[in-house]
Amino acid sequence: MYRRRDTRREQLVAEITNNLRRYAVDAQQVGHAFANLHGLNPTDLNALLAVMDAEILGDPITPGRLGEQLNLSSGSVTALIDRLERAGHIRRDRDTVDRRKVLLHYADQGAALAMEFFQPLGARTDSVMAEFGEDELEVVHRFMARMSESLRAHRDAVRAARPESTRRPTG
């Protein structure tokens, strides 16, 4: 994104925008390295991230929600889950309240592989965050949360604007 840089604020906005773009590309490359190392494709990786995010929030994801997030048909989601389950990355569990509902969780083997690969990055991240005070981290947290919301809203608008013929079936 090219932005005017006449004022210090405009310079900062341009630099932050460039940093976000570079961070996204670098993070994607790290994710692809993990995926390639373990025979996963980009959709597999996105599915694993969705399962992990849901578990972190304490609200395990269902196959239907996973399909919505990834913009995949139910048949594609089933094949995806089968593939990840066979590879030991995720497991299916029945909801204890509603036995008809299936919940997806990270399998121990998959979690161990991810931990081994991403632990050095986690240590680097911790080291960087240690350079900032709690007040600064609060601002960064708020900024990143809002930027993520903005990006997801844009993604959803782009998906909704696509002609029906180019959308993936969801049923």
Side-chain angles (χ1 to χ4, degrees):
M1 319 281 170
Y2 299 102
R3 299 181 184 270
R4 292 184 50 154
R5 298 169 187 237
D6 296 336
T7 67
R8 179 61 182 145
R9 178 181 174 77
E10 290 168 342
Q11 290 170 355
L12 284 170
V13 167
E15 290 172 17
I16 291 168
T17 300
N18 289 335
N19 287 335
L20 286 169
R21 180 187 43 77
R22 284 192 304 268
Y23 184 88
V25 169
D26 292 343
Q28 187 177 43
Q29 289 175 348
V30 170
H32 286 279
F34 173 80
N36 290 335
L37 186 63
H38 297 289
L40 303 170
N41 65 46
T43 302
D44 296 340
L45 180 63
N46 289 335
L48 289 175
L49 291 171
V51 169
M52 180 186 68
D53 287 344
E55 286 207 273
I56 288 171
L57 293 173
D59 185 22
I61 197 165
T62 63
R65 268 194 10 225
L66 181 63
E68 289 171 9
Q69 269 191 274
L70 299 179
N71 201 30
L72 296 174
S73 69
S74 60
S76 295
V77 170
T78 299
L80 169 69
I81 293 169
D82 288 346
R83 187 171 59 251
L84 292 175
E85 191 174 41
R86 274 193 312 274
H89 290 285
I90 64 171
R91 69 176 198 280
R92 293 177 173 119
D93 291 329
R94 294 280 175 192
D95 188 337
T96 56
V97 176
D98 181 353
R99 299 288 300 154
R100 296 171 296 175
K101 188 190 254 186
V102 173
L103 302 175
L104 303 176
H105 297 277
Y106 238 105
D108 290 343
Q109 176 186 340
L113 290 174
M115 180 70 78
E116 179 185 341
F117 183 89
F118 288 103
Q119 200 164 25
L121 177 59
R124 289 173 186 266
T125 300
D126 290 345
S127 176
V128 170
M129 289 203 191
E131 298 173 19
F132 296 87
E134 190 172 326
D135 290 346
E136 292 172 303
L137 290 175
E138 289 284 350
V139 172
V140 171
H141 177 263
R142 191 174 87 240
F143 172 80
M144 290 304 300
R146 293 287 295 128
M147 291 304 290
S148 294
E149 289 169 14
S150 175
L151 185 59
R152 285 190 302 272
H154 182 69
R155 175 204 63 200
D156 294 345
V158 167
R159 283 181 179 173
R162 283 191 305 196
E164 282 295 323
S165 62
T166 61
R167 290 186 190 172
R168 294 183 180 184
T170 58

